[in-house]
Amino acid sequence: MAITVEEIAAIKELQAQGFGPYQISAQVGADPKTVRKYMKQDDFSPAVPQPKSLCGKLTPWIPTICVWLEEDQQNRHKQRHTAKRIYDRLVKEDPAFSCSYRTVSRYVADWKAERRQGHGAQELVWHPGECQADFGECDMYVRGSRVVVKYLVVTFPYSNVGYLQCFHGETAECLCQGLKDIFHYIGGVPQRVVIDNATGAGRRMGEVIRLTELFQRFKAHYGFSLTFCNPRSGNEKGNVENKVGYFRRNILVPIPKTESLEHFNAQVLEECELDNCRDHYKLNIPMCELFQEDKQQLLRLPELPFECCKYRRLLTDHYGKFCIDNCHFYNIGPQYADSELWVRIGAFTVEPLDS
């Protein structure tokens, strides 16, 4: 029978009063041998916790399990061995296997825990006036038709405030239009914008960053600095990654219905503003109050708004149609057949221009 800390303390106290082991045994109710053991003991410091040892019965199969788990490191995350799958394989492939599922599960969990050590992430510090941007994808009903929509989310990590705008794609025109509308809605320009390899902005290849011409013009017009995340480093913009999912589950459920994305975008900014009145997830202060510090660090808006469009010279075919990106066809009438024209392409419009 195990002896408690209170009983040990009572033994030492009675020993200090001059009682012998048999007298202490009678008062405490412990075996005299146990009493003598603790009477001789001088160090009662807490013992260092020892890791639990694995069940010895599993030892013959541990090399096999390790081989399977090591091979899994080259496979997709969703196509790797689970503890249940390892257990089922051992039962099926080796008639001598006699361990329980719990033993296998505990070993697999310990194996994975050892290899996770040193792979944590340091919490990033964000200053007022900095924002992150990213695209998500959802369904919407536009004029009665269900379509796939790309939505741009811009968040300010310092305050956790976020805004969204919806488009039919992730082009440079869409990215610039969404950022422009949010900048003008909040009344200023963030000092720094953090994005990943978004097609509309450009590409980061190693240390070389190549921006699209339209986004370069947009960046020069509004004067913010730009930071590209490292490849496969979503944690570097974790705030906007979380907000993309939050908006999808809340503002975009149930599936929105609208006559046009422009109309929806005007309304959803007000809905985002109401959502920003929630308390901050850590500070228990309304996010809209923290956002005032973000606003104080914003750059001034330029006097002239930016035209988020690009111009392209195209040829029409025999029917007066022209094609954009080898997949989108537009008909402007047979009177313009076999002719050259300029087209202004925006986030929501495609406008053929005459001379």
Side-chain angles (χ1 to χ4, degrees):
M1 183 177 179
I3 190 169
T4 65
V5 176
E6 289 80 4
E7 290 173 329
I8 294 173
I11 290 172
K12 299 303 289 184
E13 184 176 347
L14 291 170
Q15 180 185 8
Q17 296 175 11
F19 290 97
Y22 288 98
Q23 294 172 308
I24 296 175
S25 173
Q27 294 190 45
V28 175
D31 186 88
K33 292 182 180 179
T34 303
V35 172
R36 287 195 186 95
K37 170 187 171 182
Y38 288 107
M39 289 177 70
K40 294 178 180 178
Q41 184 172 331
D42 295 324
D43 187 7
F44 291 92
S45 301
V48 178
Q50 298 297 320
K52 295 180 181 179
S53 60
L54 294 170
C55 179
K57 291 178 63 177
L58 187 64
T59 302
W61 294 277
I62 285 178
T64 302
I65 296 174
C66 290
V67 169
W68 292 346
L69 293 173
E70 290 291 351
E71 290 176 348
D72 276 350
Q73 302 309 301
Q74 308 302 320
N75 300 334
R76 297 172 181 266
H77 280 278
K78 294 185 178 181
Q79 206 168 352
R80 296 180 179 180
H81 282 83
T82 61
K84 180 64 166 61
R85 180 58 183 148
I86 290 175
Y87 173 77
D88 290 341
R89 283 191 64 182
L90 290 172
V91 170
K92 181 179 179 181
E93 298 176 13
D94 191 343
F97 180 74
S98 59
C99 296
S100 67
Y101 165 70
R102 184 172 182 178
T103 301
V104 175
S105 176
R106 185 165 60 245
Y107 177 79
V108 173
D110 290 344
W111 189 94
K112 292 181 178 180
E114 287 180 4
R115 281 146 188 82
R116 278 198 301 268
Q117 293 178 4
H119 293 280
Q122 185 176 9
E123 186 175 6
L124 300 178
V125 176
W126 295 91
H127 302 100
E130 297 178 331
C131 79
Q132 302 175 0
D134 196 14
F135 276 100
E137 184 177 281
C138 68
D139 289 344
M140 287 184 65
Y141 288 102
V142 181
R143 291 187 293 276
S145 299
R146 184 164 176 161
V147 297
V148 177
V149 169
K150 308 291 185 179
Y151 60 99
L152 174 69
V153 177
V154 175
T155 63
F156 292 80
Y158 178 80
S159 60
N160 197 37
V161 160
Y163 299 93
L164 75 86
Q165 294 283 271
C166 292
F167 302 94
H168 289 292
E170 298 182 28
T171 63
E173 306 90 80
C174 298
L175 176 62
C176 293
Q177 186 68 52
L179 291 174
K180 169 191 169 182
D181 290 343
I182 292 173
F183 292 172
H184 285 266
Y185 180 78
I186 64 177
V189 180
Q191 296 186 25
R192 182 166 72 110
V193 178
V194 179
I195 59 176
D196 60 7
N197 274 4
T199 304
R203 291 285 178 186
R204 174 175 180 168
M205 304 177 68
E207 297 300 320
V208 179
I209 296 176
R210 293 187 176 91
L211 299 178
T212 60
E213 179 184 348
L214 182 63
F215 194 78
Q216 282 182 314
R217 291 178 176 273
F218 181 82
K219 178 176 176 295
H221 190 91
Y222 284 97
F224 57 84
S225 65
L226 182 68
T227 300
F228 269 89
C229 294
N230 291 304
R232 298 178 297 278
S233 300
N235 61 294
E236 295 181 2
K237 57 179 181 64
N239 186 264
V240 71
E241 296 273 2
N242 291 332
K243 193 73 76 172
V244 166
Y246 175 82
F247 280 156
R248 184 190 296 114
R249 295 186 299 269
N250 293 272
I251 292 181
L252 299 174
V253 173
I255 297 178
K257 299 179 181 179
T258 184
E259 289 301 308
S260 69
L261 291 185
E262 298 98 311
H263 182 258
F264 176 82
N265 285 345
Q267 291 183 324
V268 78
L269 288 174
E270 297 295 333
E271 194 168 348
C272 292
E273 201 68 72
L274 292 175
D275 183 75
N276 292 333
C277 294
R278 294 182 296 116
D279 282 352
H280 190 277
Y281 63 97
K282 280 186 177 179
L283 305 178
N284 295 324
I285 300 173
M287 296 187 299
C288 54
E289 293 184 12
L290 291 170
F291 190 53
Q292 298 305 313
E293 297 182 46
D294 275 312
K295 282 189 169 183
Q296 292 175 5
Q297 301 301 321
L298 297 179
L299 306 174
R300 292 180 57 185
L301 289 167
E303 294 184 6
L304 298 175
F306 183 79
E307 293 294 332
C308 302
C309 63
K310 60 185 177 184
Y311 294 88
R312 193 176 291 182
R313 181 181 289 177
L314 300 172
L315 295 174
T316 60
D317 62 13
H318 186 65
Y319 302 100
K321 297 179 182 179
F322 62 90
C323 180
I324 297 176
D325 297 334
N326 298 319
C327 59
H328 301 293
F329 290 87
Y330 300 87
N331 189 352
I332 58 173
Q335 65 271 30
Y336 295 101
D338 300 317
S339 61
E340 184 180 78
L341 73 159
W342 282 94
V343 177
R344 178 164 55 201
I345 304 171
F348 300 108
T349 59
V350 174
E351 302 174 85
L353 306 176
D354 58 20
S355 59

